[in-house]
Amino acid sequence: NGIPEDMISSLTSSVAINEVPSNHAVFCQGDVGDNFYIIVHGSVKVASKIEADTTIGDRIANEEGDGIKVARDMPTENNIGTLGPGQYFGEMALVNSDNALRTATVTSTQKSILLSIDKESFQTVFGSNRQVLAEFELRVMKGSAQLSHILAHSLGIASFRNFLEKEHAGENIDFWVAVNDFGNAMFDDAGGVVMIHSDSLEKAKRIFVTFCAEYADRQVNLPHKMVAELDAKINGDGGITPDLFNASQQEIYKLMEKDKFARYKNSDDFKDFFVRLG
């Protein structure tokens, strides 16, 4: 996976160009993570060291002699893979604030040109792009990912929707997405003043009729009081505000998290999502 093209211009003033010879360690496992790298030319090998199994080592040493005891204490290398032009590495130590140490050693396999971005610039450039940051977080968390991380990535939303459709609960994710789109599109922050678009009310009504009303085609499970409050604001004189659907969206999020997310994480859809993520 490469860096989105629309972010390249944001990087020009933040990167340093590094030319490294073949067989050069860009960083080592256990180093403090202070830079993120993009490969322009060449390739690198990613490997991690795993401590040897001392129990097995003791058994071999006892059977075959003391000479094996030295090998017992030597870590073994796990070859994770090779990366080439357009791919990136080093993001895990920058995203994971709980453990900012490198988890692998990266070594150039040929003369290579790398772009490097320091931690402060990384957070400035990539922190503003929720999907790119979510991808990095997902790579770090893997099986420990939370629903919020999945829903921050377009592939994650598609994967979770596919799972919910099989569970006959696709209306939940569609409501969550519709409300998200409503919040993003309906309001502009112009000089600190919230500007409400002329069609905001009509879009709010469509969401309510589709998902919230008593006989909605794709009704989601919201408390009666919450539905009544939405009805009063949308169809009465309560008016609409930027946080109109916030409480109802959070309610459905909690339902998805409680009732469906654990099963999703044990499903083929979850596994396939990480395969597609790369």
Side-chain angles (χ1 to χ4, degrees), residues 147 150-153 156-165 169-181 211 218 220 249 252-253 256 260:
L147 179 57
I150 299 296
L151 296 183
H153 199 285
I157 291 175
S159 173
F160 193 47
R161 175 185 283 116
N162 189 56
F163 171 79
L164 290 181
E165 290 291 351
E171 68 277 359
N172 291 312
I173 184 65
D174 288 340
F175 171 72
W176 188 93
V177 170
V179 171
N180 228 41
D181 291 343
F211 298 104
R218 309 197 67 212
V220 294
Q249 185 187 43
I252 295 306
Y253 178 92
M256 292 190 296
K260 304 297 181 182

Side-chain angles (χ1 to χ4, degrees), residues 127-148:
S128 62
N129 187 314
R130 189 67 190 96
Q131 173 148 314
V132 173
L133 187 59
E135 181 172 325
F136 292 156
E137 291 173 340
L138 285 163
R139 290 175 184 276
V140 172
M141 303 191 75
K142 295 185 172 64
S144 299
Q146 302 300 309
L147 179 57
S148 59

Side-chain angles (χ1 to χ4, degrees), residues 208-249:
F208 182 82
V209 169
T210 303
F211 298 104
C212 308
E214 184 176 357
Y215 297 105
D217 291 338
R218 309 197 67 212
Q219 188 181 51
V220 294
N221 187 13
L222 293 173
H224 176 75
K225 181 180 179 181
M226 189 174 288
V227 173
E229 290 174 351
L230 284 172
D231 191 13
K233 292 178 179 179
I234 296 171
N235 297 310
D237 57 1
I240 60 173
T241 59
D243 60 352
L244 175 64
F245 289 104
N246 281 14
S248 55
Q249 185 187 43

Side-chain angles (χ1 to χ4, degrees), residues 15 47 67 80 90 102 121 125 161 163 189 198 207 219 263:
V15 300
I80 298 173
R102 300 296 191 186
S121 298
V125 174
R161 175 185 283 116
F163 171 79
D189 189 1
S198 59
I207 292 175
Q219 188 181 51
R263 288 206 295 276

Side-chain angles (χ1 to χ4, degrees), residues 26-37 90 92-94 96 99-104 119:
V26 181
F27 57 72
C28 297
Q29 184 173 340
D31 289 351
V32 175
D34 53 5
N35 281 281
F36 162 69
Y37 297 86
M92 289 188 177
L94 302 186
N96 190 351
N99 180 12
L101 300 181
R102 300 296 191 186
T103 59
K119 191 168 187 175

Side-chain angles (χ1 to χ4, degrees), residues 79-115:
N79 188 10
I80 298 173
T82 301
L83 303 175
Q87 294 183 297
Y88 54 80
F89 61 92
E91 76 280 4
M92 289 188 177
L94 302 186
V95 172
N96 190 351
S97 58
D98 293 332
N99 180 12
L101 300 181
R102 300 296 191 186
T103 59
T105 296
V106 176
T107 307
S108 58
T109 59
Q110 57 181 289
K111 184 177 180 180
S112 302
I113 298 175
L114 311 174
L115 301 182

Side-chain angles (χ1 to χ4, degrees), residues 184-221:
N184 290 335
M186 294 304 95
F187 305 98
D188 293 329
D189 189 1
V193 179
V194 174
M195 304 295 291
I196 303 177
H197 292 258
S198 59
D199 61 349
S200 298
L201 180 57
E202 289 306 312
K203 291 184 178 181
K205 285 183 176 180
R206 283 199 295 272
I207 292 175
F208 182 82
V209 169
T210 303
F211 298 104
C212 308
E214 184 176 357
Y215 297 105
D217 291 338
R218 309 197 67 212
Q219 188 181 51
V220 294
N221 187 13

Side-chain angles (χ1 to χ4, degrees), residues 6-7 9-15 34 36 94-95 117-130 132-133 136:
D6 61 358
M7 299 188 70
S9 60
S10 301
L11 299 175
T12 55
S13 62
S14 305
V15 300
D34 53 5
F36 162 69
L94 302 186
V95 172
I117 308 169
D118 63 36
K119 191 168 187 175
E120 181 178 353
S121 298
F122 174 89
Q123 292 172 342
T124 299
V125 174
F126 293 97
S128 62
N129 187 314
R130 189 67 190 96
V132 173
L133 187 59
F136 292 156

